[in-house]
């Protein structure tokens, strides 16, 4: 029962990533593309967490933390680039 629910949630999360990929490619503005890229990172975190529950292991928790940090840094850098045109101040 629980395995079926976890597999269904993996399918739903995968479909959500496909929808975000469409917005990433066809997004009318840069803000839409950044938001979809951030959402894809969050959905990847969710997929890995569901896989942890499905496999009954905590091995992938480090990967979840790494993707979370990289998603945050990437979103911050892209937002700074849009705002200032520069990522690193000199």
């Amino acid at each position: 029962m629980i395995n079926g629910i976890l597999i269904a949630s993996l399918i739903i999360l995968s479909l959500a990533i496909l929808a975000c990929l469409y917005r990433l490619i066809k997004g009318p503005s840069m803000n839409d593309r950044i938001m979809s890229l951030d959402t894809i990172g969050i959905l990847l975190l969710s997929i890995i967490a569901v896989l942890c529950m499905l496999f009954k292991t905590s091995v992938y928790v480090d990967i979840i933390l790494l993707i979370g940090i990289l998603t945050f840094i990437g979103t911050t850098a892209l937002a700074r680039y849009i705002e200032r045109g520069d990522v690193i101040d000199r």
Side-chain angles (χ1 to χ4, degrees), residues 4 6 17 20 26 32 46 51 58 60 62 66 70 77 79 86 89:
L6 290 175
I17 285 181
C20 286
K26 299 286 278 187
D32 290 333
S46 303
L51 286 174
S58 64
Y60 303 118
D62 294 335
L66 180 68
L70 289 176
D86 235 359
D89 292 331

Side-chain angles (χ1 to χ4, degrees), residues 2-3 6 9 46-58 60:
I2 297 295
N3 287 340
L6 290 175
S9 67
S46 303
I47 285 176
I48 294 172
V50 170
L51 286 174
C52 281
M53 289 186 281
L54 189 63
F55 296 145
K56 295 182 176 97
T57 184
S58 64
Y60 303 118

Side-chain angles (χ1 to χ4, degrees), residues 4-50:
I5 293 171
L6 290 175
I7 291 173
S9 67
L10 284 174
I11 292 170
I12 291 170
L13 289 169
S14 299
L15 292 174
I17 285 181
L18 287 177
C20 286
L21 280 175
Y22 174 76
R23 179 52 58 194
L24 184 66
I25 294 170
K26 299 286 278 187
S29 68
M30 186 63 104
N31 293 334
D32 290 333
R33 290 187 172 112
I34 290 173
M35 188 172 59
S36 68
L37 194 61
D38 190 39
T39 306
I40 288 172
I42 293 170
L43 289 170
L44 281 175
L45 289 173
S46 303
I47 285 176
I48 294 172
V50 170

Side-chain angles (χ1 to χ4, degrees), residues 34 38 68-84 86-87:
I34 290 173
D38 190 39
I69 290 169
L70 289 176
T71 302
F72 174 73
I73 291 171
T75 304
T76 306
L78 286 172
R80 184 173 284 190
Y81 177 73
I82 286 176
E83 180 181 311
R84 299 181 186 162
D86 235 359
V87 177

